[in-house]
Amino acid sequence: MSGPVETDRPAPADALPTIRDVLQLDVVVDGVPEVLAGADRLDSAVRWVHVSDSAGVARLLNGGELLLSTGSGWPADPAALRAFIADLVGVGIAGLVLELGTHYRWTPAVIVQAAAELGLVLVALHREVKYVAVTEVVHRLIIDRQTAALRARDDVRDRFTELALRGSPADFVVQQLALTLGAPIVLENLAHEVVAADVPPARETEVLADWERRSRAARRPDADEDWLVVPVEARGMRWGYLVALPGPEHPAGRVGVLQQGAIALALGRLADGPVDEWERQARRRLVDRLLSGRYASTAGAAARLSAAGLPVQGRQLVGMVVARATVSPERMDAAARARGARVLVGDAAGAGIAAAGRAAGTAVTVLVSLPSGAAFDDAEVRAFVSASLLDGEPAAVISVGTAASGLDAALTSLQEAIDLSRAPSDRRHGDRTAHQVRRADARPLVRLVTNLRDDHRLLEHGERMLAPLVEHDLNRGGDLLEVLAAVLTHPANRTAAAAASHLSRSVFYQRITLIERLLGLNLDDGETQTALHLALLVRRANPSR
């Protein structure tokens, strides 16, 4: 297979007809064509058709022509005939068509032998044809195709220029390229990590597995991968590469289409300035996609993660949510690499924890890939997050899921951290200026709800227990659910619960009385507290409800 095509090399004339196309034309078929040599080169492009019987015609040609001849002016000497064929090959003609009957009754063996040895397409016509009709039809075909190609190029250029002017995100540009070319498209950074990819779900594992090694190998002249590769660059700065896997031809030329996509992406990067918005947006969308279950197979999702720079196999995977402080994705990535780890930073809003952020400020979801057996205790978590925050940020609340092996367990760990982050933070104990680490391992009910979050019986329990309070709050703009949460967070300290609710003690006790009346339950009962706590966790685990 051929190696990658890059934009610093001239693109092939995809719009031109091939010798095979010419041989299938009615005007040529009438001549009963027979391919005598070069059958493996019938897909060579025909730039023009030239008719000549002159032995010196080679000096009049520029290359890419299909030469039509009767051979009447060719030399008779076998050595001279061989030299004549060599001259035609030397100027790079596409092929030679010899009409039999006018001068030759059969094709001389020396011509067939020379054409076969030198790689020239040689076609004999066994019946007379009008060469003027052949040239007219082929030239019209060439002009029509080139006109269609120009129109297609204009359409592609206009489409991707509009995407650039609109500020379309990188993943959308990649999607449009895939739709235009009808082939998988991958955008990678300079480290050969996948930033965005549009790949059919059934082919994710095939296309993205072992991506970095295969991508590097594709740059070699002897590459096994039949990929098209163009750099994304502008003003002397290169940010990455666009890769198109094999697909159908396009009237505008596959390389030309890929180049227009690269230009749109480069303009977007210039508009972003020094901020690496590619990485941020791509990783956020990847986390959102994983959490929402929008992947065809675990193997495909794992391949996509690994291609994006987050190894899964043989690694310790931990889900986290960092709240109340602003994380710098760049600093977090650097802090992870310093520990031999990699991270995927997602959008808290996409994970459905924006509602909890009213009090928590900013929050991000994080999937951490650590070397197997690496320590990630509370002290290490605090140090890791400290190195990841912007300067001057306050202490963060860090929710940590259970350490996992494999993608399915890793997503459960991340969901545990998200569910835990929705629970109210307890800052009564310890240093308020230090990062607070909360682990799902220490919250068995959170882990239970996470693992059974889609069980209809659990959902029914949450709805049955809390329905009166939900209806009251919705109809009257009340705060009974928040008061209940404060009571359950501080079950043995009503003063702390009232403070957490930001209510006076008298108002707080009025709310408790109302809650007990609406539910018909005693909030001092331990079993009732457990049932209500479970119901609240179920509700927080499904924030759209």
Side-chain angles (χ1 to χ4, degrees), residues 6-7 19 114 141 187 202 235 241 246 253-254 268 290 344 367 386 391 399 407 436 439 443 450 498 508 517 520:
E6 302 214 14
T7 54
I19 297 176
L141 180 62
L187 171 64
R235 296 182 182 176
Y241 298 91
R254 300 184 73 233
L290 290 171
L344 196 65
L367 185 58
S386 293
D391 295 336
S399 302
L407 183 58
Q436 180 188 7
R439 290 186 174 270
R443 301 291 297 274
T450 299
F508 179 72
R517 180 171 62 81

Side-chain angles (χ1 to χ4, degrees), residues 65 179 225 238 267 323 345 351 386 453 468 500:
E65 297 92 350
L179 289 173
E225 306 285 3
R238 180 173 292 188
L267 291 175
V345 181
S386 293
R453 60 187 293 113

Side-chain angles (χ1 to χ4, degrees), residues 376-390:
F376 205 54
D377 55 19
D378 288 2
E380 179 63 18
V381 169
R382 290 189 179 96
F384 170 63
V385 171
S386 293
S388 306
L389 300 181
L390 294 177

Side-chain angles (χ1 to χ4, degrees), residues 15-80:
L16 296 174
T18 64
I19 297 176
R20 191 186 308 276
D21 295 333
V22 173
L23 296 182
Q24 292 173 348
L25 296 173
D26 290 342
V27 68
V28 178
V29 171
D30 290 343
V32 190
E34 179 186 4
V35 179
L36 301 178
D40 58 334
R41 295 175 176 266
L42 292 180
D43 290 322
S44 300
V46 176
R47 187 182 61 81
W48 205 245
V49 176
H50 190 77
V51 180
S52 176
D53 291 328
S54 170
V57 68
R59 69 178 185 275
L60 304 177
L61 303 176
N62 293 323
E65 297 92 350
L66 183 63
L67 178 62
L68 309 182
S69 180
T70 64
S72 60
W74 293 1
D77 179 69

Side-chain angles (χ1 to χ4, degrees), residues 189-214:
N189 60 21
L190 295 178
H192 301 279
E193 295 174 349
V194 174
V195 175
D198 193 285
V199 181
R203 296 188 62 191
E204 277 193 330
T205 305
E206 168 203 344
V207 171
L208 298 177
D210 198 18
W211 177 263
E212 180 181 354
R213 182 195 62 78
R214 292 168 56 217

Side-chain angles (χ1 to χ4, degrees), residues 143-499:
I143 293 171
D144 289 347
R145 287 198 177 187
Q146 289 184 331
T147 301
L150 288 173
R151 289 173 179 166
R153 290 182 184 122
D154 287 343
D155 176 66
V156 168
R157 185 181 63 249
D158 292 345
R159 190 185 320 160
F160 284 96
T161 298
E162 184 178 353
L163 292 179
L165 294 176
R166 261 199 331 251
S168 298
D171 63 330
F172 186 72
V173 174
V174 168
Q175 180 193 63
Q176 293 303 302
L177 281 170
L179 289 173
T180 302
L181 290 177
I185 303 293
V186 175
L187 171 64
E188 63 177 20
N189 60 21
L190 295 178
H192 301 279
E193 295 174 349
V194 174
V195 175
D198 193 285
V199 181
R203 296 188 62 191
E204 277 193 330
T205 305
E206 168 203 344
V207 171
L208 298 177
D210 198 18
W211 177 263
E212 180 181 354
R213 182 195 62 78
R214 292 168 56 217
S215 176
R216 292 181 183 277
R219 297 336 192 244
R220 297 198 299 261
D222 60 343
D224 292 331
E225 306 285 3
D226 190 13
W227 292 357
L228 296 180
V229 183
V230 300
V232 179
E233 58 188 1
R235 296 182 182 176
M237 298 177 62
R238 180 173 292 188
W239 297 285
Y241 298 91
L242 270 174
V243 181
L245 274 67
E249 293 299 330
H250 190 277
R254 300 184 73 233
V255 175
V257 173
L258 210 58
Q259 288 172 337
Q260 290 300 321
I263 291 171
L265 290 168
L267 291 175
R269 282 308 305 261
L270 287 175
D272 290 339
V275 178
D276 193 353
E277 199 61 31
W278 274 7
E279 298 282 350
R280 291 186 180 182
Q281 292 295 333
R283 291 181 172 238
R284 287 172 184 169
R285 289 188 174 93
L286 185 51
V287 173
D288 293 346
R289 178 180 177 183
L290 290 171
L291 287 173
S292 61
R294 285 179 287 137
Y295 53 91
S297 68
T298 301
R304 185 177 283 265
L305 280 174
S306 296
L310 190 94
V312 174
Q313 297 299 325
R315 305 280 286 190
Q316 178 185 185
L317 303 168
V318 180
M320 294 172 51
V321 172
V322 182
R324 295 184 183 271
T326 304
V327 169
S328 164
E330 293 77 16
R331 291 189 179 185
M332 180 167 278
D333 185 64
R337 290 175 186 267
R339 291 163 170 79
R342 297 301 303 274
V343 292
L344 196 65
V345 181
D347 185 359
I353 57 179
R358 287 196 302 266
T362 58
V364 294
T365 54
V366 184
L367 185 58
V368 187
S369 172
L370 296 150
S372 181
F376 205 54
D377 55 19
D378 288 2
E380 179 63 18
V381 169
R382 290 189 179 96
F384 170 63
V385 171
S386 293
S388 306
L389 300 181
L390 294 177
D391 295 336
E393 283 296 302
V397 176
I398 309 163
S399 302
V400 184
T402 308
S405 174
L407 183 58
D408 285 335
L411 294 180
T412 299
S413 175
L414 186 56
Q415 192 61 59
E416 285 176 353
I418 292 170
D419 290 345
L420 187 56
S421 72
R422 296 190 181 112
S425 173
D426 183 3
R427 286 280 193 177
R428 292 177 300 157
H429 306 293
D431 185 0
R432 291 174 176 265
T433 64
H435 300 309
Q436 180 188 7
V437 179
R438 305 189 297 179
R439 290 186 174 270
D441 286 338
R443 301 291 297 274
L445 277 181
V446 170
R447 294 188 63 187
L448 175 66
V449 169
T450 299
N451 285 285
L452 300 177
R453 60 187 293 113
D454 295 322
D455 190 301
H456 70 92
R457 291 166 297 183
L458 197 62
L459 296 175
E460 183 182 357
H461 166 76
E463 177 64 24
R464 183 177 65 253
M465 292 294 296
L466 299 178
L469 305 187
V470 172
E471 292 175 5
H472 177 278
D473 285 354
L474 288 176
N475 294 330
R476 304 189 182 186
D479 57 358
L480 296 187
L481 285 175
E482 294 180 10
V483 171
L484 178 62
V487 170
L488 297 176
T489 302
H490 309 275
N493 191 334
R494 293 290 171 88
T495 300

